[in-house]
Amino acid sequence: MTDQRPPQWFQPLLTRVGSARAEDFTRLTTPTSGGRESAVLVLLGEQDGTGPDVLMLQRAATLRNHAGQPAFPGGAADPTDVDAAATALREANEEVDLDPSTVTVLAELPKLWIPVSDFVVTPVLGWWHRPHPVHPREPAEVAHVARLPIAELVDPENRMRVRHPSGWIGPAFSARGMLVWGFTAGVLAALLEMGDWARPWPRDRVIDLPPPGAAPAPSAGTDPADEMTGPLP
C-alpha cells in the first residue's frame, strides 16, 4: 500500500500553514459577503531527479477570465460540493484528469479574493502520494499541464516581478516555459517562504507583463512540450 503521509520535507510548510492568515498571502481584504465561492488545488508531489514539485496548468488563451495564465487547478464551487477540498479535487479531475484518490488533502488555507473575477478562493493544500500522468481534458480551457520543480521556482534566476499594463506590480516565476504571475504567483511565493524553501533574489528585477502568447522570460527549465505530464492536446 502507498504511504499517504507527506515526506519530511513537507513538514515545515504543514506546520506553518496551520496558523496562516489571509494577510500572509495578499494585501486585499476578503469581503465578508458576496463573491463567487471557489477553490484551487495546491498539489505538491515529488519526482526522482527533480525533487519536490507543484502541479500547474496553463489556461487557454481564448478564455474570458485569466486567459493564457498559469494557474493551480481549480474553479467555482458547485452546490453538490461538500467543502472547498471537494471543489478543488473535482475541478482538478475535470481540468487535467487528476484521480482524487491519489491525493491526500492536508489543509485548507484562508479565503482569498480576486477582484478582477470576484472569486473568493480557498487554496487547498495536498500531497500527491500516488502521482500519475495528467493531461488537459478540455483543450478549449487548458492549454497544457506541467509539474514545476520547487528547486527551479526558488532559483534566483527564475524569480522577478512583473508590471501589469494597469500599473500593478507583483511577484512572478519563470520555469518550464511558464511565466507564473498574479494570484497564483502570490500564493506560491508565500508558500515557498512558509516552507523554508525561498532563496534571496533580486527584487529590483521588474519586467513588463508579456502579451498573451508571447514567449516567457528565460528559465532554468526546458520547453513546456518536454515537461508535459501527459500527452499534448
Side-chain angles (χ1 to χ4, degrees), residues 92-223:
N93 173 261
E94 293 175 0
E95 290 179 326
V96 303
D97 208 19
L98 178 75
D99 180 354
S101 70
T102 66
V103 177
T104 301
V105 173
L106 299 172
E108 292 186 8
L109 307 183
K111 294 178 181 291
L112 307 173
W113 182 44
I114 305 179
V116 67
S117 55
D118 199 28
F119 280 117
V120 175
V121 184
T122 301
V124 176
L125 182 63
W127 161 237
W128 205 0
H129 64 261
R130 196 171 74 248
H132 62 87
V134 290
H135 62 95
R137 289 189 68 174
E138 181 48 71
E141 296 184 4
V142 178
H144 66 265
V145 190
R147 297 176 67 173
L148 304 185
I150 298 297
E152 291 181 16
L153 292 170
V154 300
D155 185 336
E157 293 296 319
N158 295 337
R159 297 203 64 173
M160 65 211 70
R161 294 192 295 158
V162 295
R163 182 187 296 107
H164 191 272
S166 66
W168 172 90
I169 296 176
F173 302 84
S174 181
R176 305 281 162 145
M178 285 187 176
L179 179 64
V180 184
W181 63 282
F183 170 84
T184 303
V187 172
L188 194 54
L191 292 177
L192 293 175
E193 293 285 350
M194 293 179 189
D196 292 333
W197 298 314
R199 297 166 54 190
W201 57 280
R203 296 174 185 266
D204 60 350
R205 181 188 294 154
V206 180
I207 67 169
D208 290 329
L209 182 66
S219 78
T222 57
D223 184 89

Side-chain angles (χ1 to χ4, degrees), residues 55 123 138 227:
L55 182 66
E138 181 48 71
E227 280 303 311

